Each structure stands twice: as structure tokens, then as C-alpha cells.
């Protein structure tokens, strides 16, 4: 229980914003959908590979070992750590709440999913005229040179960096969704 609490304290703020429920960082276990597993405090233990594993179909994590089953799609995917810049490699993005620890569990487990429009990471850039907010993995419009944004959006003057992990500040319009 202490290890689970520690991992929630350390990783919860990173993952909870995307999922809104209890966050578990665990290694997939074989055998049935009980959701039992080893909870770890080490972020590196959650990364399986840089690309999706297997192809599916699946209905249990054991079907995808060493990866995870994305129960919503029935496809296998690699586990990932959302705060890692290149967690999934080109063509896929680390979704903080892609699946759960069991088919009926109401928790979040990160997995690599195919990149979709408006998503980005260190390997997959945004369309021209947009900026990747790496922490969120989404594309947003940059603020104009005067720090202004269209509509009700506001300019966050240091929303992201020019690359994942860069310490420089890039101004991005926030709050239009």
C-alpha cells in the first residue's frame, strides 16, 4: 500500500489531469482481469517498447505480453510513461488514460496509441502554424507577437518549450476548448 501511495504521489499529478480518476502505474499481469499487479514507483518500469506490441485482437493484458490490451479498441499496445519525450516513437503518442488495469476497472493505465489529428510529441510534429504543448501532447496556436490570442483564449507565455524537455519558453494560446 505504501508503494502504491508513493507512486500516486509522484506520478498522479502527471497522469490524473488526463484521466480524472484513480491512477495506477503497474506492470501487466497474466491470467484474468482481476487487475492485481505490482505497483511500482519507478517510471522506467512502465515502458515496454517504443512501438506498439502485437496487433490484437485482445481482451486481456496477457494476450499482449509484454504490452497492454487497450480494452476500448481490443488492440495490443506498448506501455509508456507520459512524461517521457519519446515514449512511443514515430506514429504513436503516449495516452495517459488509454486503458485500465482490467476490462471493467475504472482506473488509468498509459499506453501508446496511433497519433491522431491535433496530437503531438517529440517524434510527431503539429501542422504548420501550430505548436506542440509537449506536457499535454496536443497542438495549439501560438500567441501573436503582441501576446494576443483569438476569441476567449489567453496567452500562456511559457506553456511549452521549443522541443520536449527544452527549458526555453514558447507562448501558446490556452483555454479555447
Amino acid at each position: 500500500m505504501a508503494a502504491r501511495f508513493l507512486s500516486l504521489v509522484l506520478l498522479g499529478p502527471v497522469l490524473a489531469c488526463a484521466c480524472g480518476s484513480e491512477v495506477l502505474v503497474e506492470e501487466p499481469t497474466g491470467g484474468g482481469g482481476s487487475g492485481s499487479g505490482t505497483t511500482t514507483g519507478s517510471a522506467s518500469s512502465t515502458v515496454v517498447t517504443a512501438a506498439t506490441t502485437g496487433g490484437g485482437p485482445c481482451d486481456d493484458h496477457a494476450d499482449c505480453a509484454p504490452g497492454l490490451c487497450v480494452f476500448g479498441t481490443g488492440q495490443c499496445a506498448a506501455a509508456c510513461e507520459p512524461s517521457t519525450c519519446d515514449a512511443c516513437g514515430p506514429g504513436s503518442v503516449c495516452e495517459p488514460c488509454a486503458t485500465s488495469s482490467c476490462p471493467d476497472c475504472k482506473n488509468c493505465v498509459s499506453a501508446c496509441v496511433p497519433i491522431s489529428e491535433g496530437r503531438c510529441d517529440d517524434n510527431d510534429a503539429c501542422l504548420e502554424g501550430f505548436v506542440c504543448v509537449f506536457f499535454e501532447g496536443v497542438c495549439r496556436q501560438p500567441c501573436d507577437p503582441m501576446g494576443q490570442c483569438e476569441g476567449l483564449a489567453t496567452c500562456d507565455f511559457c506553456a511549452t518549450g521549443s522541443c520536449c524537455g527544452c527549458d526555453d519558453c514558447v507562448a501558446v494560446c490556452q483555454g479555447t476548448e
Side-chain angles (χ1 to χ4, degrees):
M1 184 66 168
R4 181 176 177 188
F5 177 74
L6 179 60
S7 65
L8 288 174
V9 170
L10 295 175
L11 297 174
V14 174
L15 300 174
C17 63
C19 190
S21 63
E22 182 180 4
V23 176
L24 293 180
V25 178
E26 62 182 71
E27 297 173 9
T29 59
S34 68
S36 63
T38 304
T39 304
T40 65
S42 169
S44 62
S45 66
T46 62
V47 178
V48 175
T49 63
T52 57
T53 58
C58 63
D59 59 9
D60 188 272
H61 290 309
D63 297 336
C64 300
L68 299 168
C69 181
V70 178
F71 299 115
T73 64
Q75 298 296 308
C76 295
C80 59
E81 174 56 46
S83 62
T84 304
C85 290
D86 58 356
C88 294
S92 60
V93 64
C94 187
E95 179 61 49
C97 199
T99 192
S100 57
S101 59
C102 72
D104 296 322
C105 295
K106 296 186 184 328
N107 57 24
C108 290
V109 176
S110 303
C112 297
V113 298
I115 195 115
S116 60
E117 186 176 336
R119 297 298 306 268
C120 59
D121 62 15
D122 206 37
N123 295 305
D124 302 284
C126 296
L127 295 175
E128 188 174 331
F130 289 85
V131 174
C132 186
V133 180
F134 294 102
F135 178 71
E136 298 174 25
V138 296
C139 299
R140 303 246 192 258
Q141 286 188 311
C143 304
D144 72 17
M146 299 299 293
Q148 301 294 309
C149 296
E150 295 178 15
L152 298 175
T154 58
C155 185
D156 182 341
F157 291 96
C158 199
T160 192
S162 58
C163 67
C164 187
C166 290
D167 288 334
D168 61 339
C169 288
V170 174
V172 177
C173 296
Q174 300 275 33
T176 58
E177 296 83 63

